[in-house]
Amino acid sequence: MTRPSVTAALVLLAALGAAGCSPTETPGPGSGDAATDAPASGEAGDQPDDTAAGTTGSGATTEAAGSSTDDGATSDDDSAAGAPSAPPELDVEVVLDGLDIPWDVALRPDGTVLVTERGGRLLAHRDGRTQEIGTDLEHLFVSGEAGLMGMALDGDTLYLCHAWAPPDAPPDVRVTAHTLADDLTTATLEEVVVDGIPLTSGRHSGCRLLLQDDGTLLVGTGDAADEANPQDLDSLGGKVLHVRSDGGAADPGSAPPGADPRILTYGHRNVQGLAQQPGTGEVFSVEHGPDVDDEVNLLQAGANYGWAPGPGYDEGVPMTDLERFPDAVEAVWSSGDPTHATSGAAFLEGDAWGAWEGALAVAELKGSGMTVLTLDGQDVVDEARVPGLEGTYGRLRTAVLDEEGALWVTTSNGGDDAVLRVTPRG
């Protein structure tokens, strides 16, 4: 996978402030036409518009406010671990702008940046030039949080995760494999890897992909705002799936007893982020929460993460309901109330990140910024905000690290969105 550049001195801030919210419904699948989903809900929904996309950003490095203070946010463990070192200064570059809800980023070895837009466009950007890659997505369903979403790149094979609503079959969220043309003019559909992931109005569509070293895929799914899906071991909704490139179960023995063998974990609400920890290989999921909390979870094969909002899809119950499910796995980090609408995430690597090397950077939609979680093994021991991204670019969705240790970030404001490259100066 890949890694991310805007200019700023970073500090540790005390509060993770964000306004409370309640979900917003959107029309159900049918025509596949785009619909509006107000972002005020704190869900992954954005306000799409018809802004032209694919224009090249100025590439100029911009200054972002922020200077070191003594009131940084620290955990109760700081007294034992010692005061954290100063975070790095950052440069933030607008690589691409004029976009409409860019959802994910993948980087090729030649420096080409691939970008999905939720409305259906697949773009390739290199050396200041942007072109659209032709795809066969005529039945793409775009509404609320659904559309063309996550992707993963394995050589010339591009995996896309998207919503699908053909006129003669039930709608779903699916993962498809495509072959990229050498000149990047087309991405030809080769295989449907996974289909049948639940789709209703477009809410809670998940769709985060994480390619493993052995060529298998992890797929984060949403519960489609259906109270039964997260705990239903026959449903692919509210799960993390582990599949081979042909769609078969990658490790059937790791599935929960009695479950579809492709299921790795269950009891999730809306898995928007997946990140693999360097050195350990452990995978962490980032979950977009209800009114109560957002979560970062350490994935354990076969485990239940405790989301069960029934009856009536109650947004006031905790993400991990230990009363109903005493054996459910507790989160390694929770936002509490108010929530931030956490989305994509990536581990930071490289000496230039200084005190943040090995930390987990979590993008936020409602929070309009990024939280950096410092871990001691699997335990979060400190959290901080990134001033250079704090409200400067609006809602942030995806965070991807490139081979040079730079962090690529997409905005999700529904108009004149951008792809940012964030690099530490060290």
Side-chain angles (χ1 to χ4, degrees), residues 187-272:
T188 303
L189 175 65
E190 301 292 347
E191 187 170 12
V192 177
V193 180
V194 180
D195 58 7
I197 301 170
L199 174 67
T200 52
S201 68
R203 287 185 63 203
H204 304 181
S205 297
C207 238
R208 183 66 66 186
L209 302 180
L210 181 63
L211 183 69
Q212 302 291 280
D213 290 341
D214 61 2
T216 61
L217 281 172
L218 296 179
V219 184
T221 76
D223 67 6
D226 183 324
E227 64 191 62
N229 284 332
Q231 297 295 325
D232 183 350
L233 296 180
D234 291 323
S235 170
L236 300 183
K239 311 295 193 298
V240 174
L241 313 178
H242 190 194
V243 298
R244 303 189 307 260
S245 59
D246 64 1
D251 186 5
S254 295
D260 184 303
R262 295 169 293 178
I263 294 174
L264 179 69
T265 59
Y266 68 107
H268 300 285
R269 182 176 184 270
N270 193 14
V271 179
Q272 291 261 309

Side-chain angles (χ1 to χ4, degrees), residues 153-215:
L153 184 63
D154 189 5
D156 290 328
T157 299
L158 180 66
Y159 297 99
L160 297 175
C161 191
H162 54 92
W164 197 244
D168 55 353
D172 64 10
V173 173
R174 55 182 51 196
V175 180
T176 51
H178 305 253
T179 298
L180 288 169
D182 291 341
D183 60 1
L184 298 183
T185 55
T186 60
T188 303
L189 175 65
E190 301 292 347
E191 187 170 12
V192 177
V193 180
V194 180
D195 58 7
I197 301 170
L199 174 67
T200 52
S201 68
R203 287 185 63 203
H204 304 181
S205 297
C207 238
R208 183 66 66 186
L209 302 180
L210 181 63
L211 183 69
Q212 302 291 280
D213 290 341
D214 61 2

Side-chain angles (χ1 to χ4, degrees), residues 5-7 60-62 90-94 388-389 393 420-422:
S5 284
V6 175
T7 302
T61 300
T62 59
L90 301 181
D91 292 324
V92 182
E93 177 189 0
V94 178
L389 298 177
Y393 299 95
L420 312 174
R421 187 173 187 265
V422 183

Side-chain angles (χ1 to χ4, degrees), residues 288-351:
H288 200 109
D291 297 339
V292 180
D293 52 1
D294 301 309
E295 289 187 349
V296 174
N297 284 298
L298 173 63
L299 297 185
Q300 301 175 23
N304 182 5
Y305 286 79
W307 173 244
Y313 207 83
D314 182 0
E315 297 278 13
V317 302
M319 285 274 276
T320 305
D321 192 335
L322 294 173
E323 290 189 8
R324 295 181 62 183
F325 308 103
D327 295 331
V329 178
E330 295 187 63
V332 299
W333 177 86
S334 172
S335 68
D337 183 11
T339 58
H340 300 213
T342 50
S343 47
F347 279 96
L348 304 176
E349 296 185 68
D351 293 342

